[in-house]
Amino acid sequence: MKWAIVLLGLVALSECLTRVPLMKGKSMRTALKEKGLLEEFLKKNPQNLASKYNLYAQSFAEPMYNDLDIEYYGAISIGTPPQSFKVLLDTGSANLWVPSVYCSSYACSNHNKYNPSLSSTYRALNTALSISYGTGSMTGFLAYDTVNVAGISDPNQIFALSTTEPGSFLYYAQFDGILGLAFPSMASGKATPVFDNMMNQGLLSRDLFSFYLSPNSQSGSVVTFGGIDESYFTGNINWVPLTSETYWQIKVDYIQVNGQTVACAQSCQAIVDTGTSLIAGPSGPIATIQSAVGASTGISCQNVPSMPDVIIGINGVQYTLPPSAYILESYGGQQCSSGFQAMNIPTNAGDLWILGDVFIRQYYSIFDRTNNMVGLAKSI
């Protein structure tokens, strides 16, 4: 179903806030499981979250997406007249791409496809692009057209049109394409990211964007461009300086359970990533966390209320994750699984961690390009 783009002109703190509503759809894992295909799919396509972060995964040339639990998507349009697409708004990558009518892959068959012949503002560039995935590669080419994000119209945005997409992986995705919100240095083909074009053209009141992911709800999640909406959080905003201007990377001081440090005892590096559903980290510390919270083996949903909080220390502030946040319920609370997942990405500063949607649902997250900081505040 095509999603309407909603522009809400709200004034807060003397700012004009432009919002992209996010819908929480069915994850690929759920879709595969309902069709009885999950076990076979995982055998053929083992998950490799680490491969997405190509800056550190030296064996891969481009960003990769292999997260079966992604659920949040927004709507944009491309072209004149507008063609609508559902996209993953992803702070862990920097390119905008959508399927095209030139794509005959199985993965393109059930998604909206961009048709350049229907747009009067299309401008060909025809520079080839290839983005690798855990199950193959998306190939295509770059072009320019008008991109509209919640009423913010960028008349000269570079984006990629896919001509092939890998295997069956993306067939089960409820999003059509990806809109990356990381730094330009991460963009394949040296394409200028959408948010950078917004900044360069002075389309925003402030050069930042904010994510609110509503907990356990099908609606209410939103990305706000150009400002901070105080109606989505309580208390103070705690600002964290970036340690790298590539991904939205910050330093984590420690991770504790029951007053004991179970990971990052000497600090560690973490990426705040809206394009990853879980909290991921090196296999050893993740196993220690799972053991400390009682999630090493099968989790009984009845035991969740008695499980301990997980505390993540960042820039002198403690961020609490109650068991209701890091234990994921499905099928009406009949099945429970851990929101922590092993992922090994060694870097010069130590193993990398990913703070995905499990963390962001609890903390309103602000991505500030002017000051190169991430702001965090307790979500309502």
Side-chain angles (χ1 to χ4, degrees):
M1 181 179 71
K2 293 184 178 180
W3 298 356
I5 298 176
V6 180
L7 172 62
L8 298 178
L10 299 180
V11 178
L13 302 178
S14 300
E15 299 169 331
C16 181
L17 305 184
T18 302
R19 297 174 173 177
V20 179
L22 297 179
M23 299 301 294
K24 188 178 181 183
K26 186 181 296 183
S27 70
M28 285 179 277
R29 184 183 301 277
T30 299
L32 287 164
K33 193 167 186 176
E34 288 179 353
K35 296 178 183 297
L37 301 173
L38 180 60
E39 185 174 348
E40 179 182 357
F41 182 89
L42 289 175
K43 287 180 180 178
K44 294 181 179 179
N45 307 290
Q47 281 191 283
N48 184 5
L49 286 179
S51 58
K52 174 180 178 179
Y53 306 97
N54 65 297
L55 180 64
Y56 302 113
Q58 298 300 321
S59 59
F60 299 98
E62 303 293 348
M64 306 172 76
Y65 301 86
N66 200 9
D67 190 337
L68 295 180
D69 299 292
I70 290 293
E71 296 176 313
Y72 297 96
Y73 323 111
I76 67 169
S77 69
I78 304 175
T80 308
Q83 301 175 43
S84 297
F85 299 92
K86 294 177 288 186
V87 293
L88 168 65
L89 290 113
D90 178 21
T91 59
S93 68
N95 286 86
L96 168 62
W97 70 264
V98 294
S100 77
V101 292
Y102 306 116
C103 181
S104 58
S105 301
Y106 179 62
C108 292
S109 64
N110 64 339
H111 290 97
N112 295 327
K113 292 181 279 290
Y114 173 81
N115 188 341
S117 68
L118 299 180
S119 175
S120 62
T121 47
Y122 172 78
R123 183 159 59 93
L125 184 59
N126 296 327
T127 300
L129 184 76
S130 177
I131 300 179
S132 298
Y133 291 75
T135 56
S137 295
M138 184 282 283
T139 62
F141 59 93
L142 294 170
Y144 290 92
D145 208 337
T146 297
V147 173
N148 191 292
V149 181
I152 301 176
S153 182
D154 175 8
N156 195 38
Q157 177 61 51
I158 190 170
F159 70 106
L161 294 73
S162 75
T163 53
T164 64
E165 294 183 13
S168 61
F169 169 62
L170 288 173
Y171 177 86
Y172 295 100
Q174 295 213 342
F175 55 86
D176 302 309
I178 294 170
L179 193 161
L181 292 166
F183 285 75
S185 59
M186 302 310 302
S188 300
K190 298 182 179 179
T192 302
V194 171
F195 193 74
D196 283 80
N197 253 351
M198 291 180 180
M199 292 193 302
N200 295 340
Q201 297 182 44
L203 301 178
L204 304 164
S205 56
R206 296 173 67 183
D207 292 338
L208 56 79
F209 56 92
S210 313
F211 271 78
Y212 171 74
L213 301 183
S214 59
N216 305 317
S217 173
Q218 296 298 310
S219 62
S221 300
V222 66
V223 182
T224 302
F225 287 92
I228 301 167
D229 193 333
E230 292 187 338
S231 66
Y232 288 112
F233 65 90
T234 183
N236 297 324
I237 300 170
N238 301 304
W239 292 99
V240 186
L242 298 184
T243 57
S244 174
E245 295 170 19
T246 49
Y247 306 109
W248 290 89
Q249 186 170 319
I250 61 175
K251 185 178 81 169
V252 169
D253 301 328
Y254 54 81
I255 300 176
Q256 295 182 340
V257 176
N258 291 324
Q260 300 296 314
T261 298
V262 292
C264 300
Q266 304 299 321
S267 80
C268 57
Q269 295 292 306
I271 293 171
V272 184
D273 186 1
T274 61
T276 298
S277 58
L278 308 178
I279 293 178
S283 54
I286 287 291
T288 302
I289 293 173
Q290 305 280 44
S291 176
V293 301
S296 294
T297 55
I299 301 169
S300 170
C301 294
Q302 294 180 340
N303 295 336
V304 172
S306 62
M307 297 174 75
D309 294 342
V310 174
I311 307 295
I312 301 178
I314 302 173
N315 203 32
V317 177
Q318 292 191 334
Y319 296 88
T320 300
L321 295 178
S324 59
Y326 66 78
I327 298 298
L328 309 179
E329 294 186 356
S330 57
Y331 298 99
Q334 297 182 20
Q335 293 185 11
C336 286
S337 59
S338 172
F340 293 96
Q341 181 168 336
M343 175 201 72
N344 294 302
I345 308 180
T347 75
N348 291 335
D351 289 319
L352 191 69
W353 290 70
I354 308 300
L355 302 179
D357 294 347
V358 165
F359 181 84
I360 298 169
R361 271 193 293 268
Q362 296 298 303
Y363 294 98
Y364 185 80
S365 299
I366 306 158
F367 300 84
D368 184 348
R369 282 291 298 274
T370 299
N371 300 297
N372 291 324
M373 290 186 170
V374 171
L376 300 170
K378 186 69 180 74
S379 294
I380 59 170

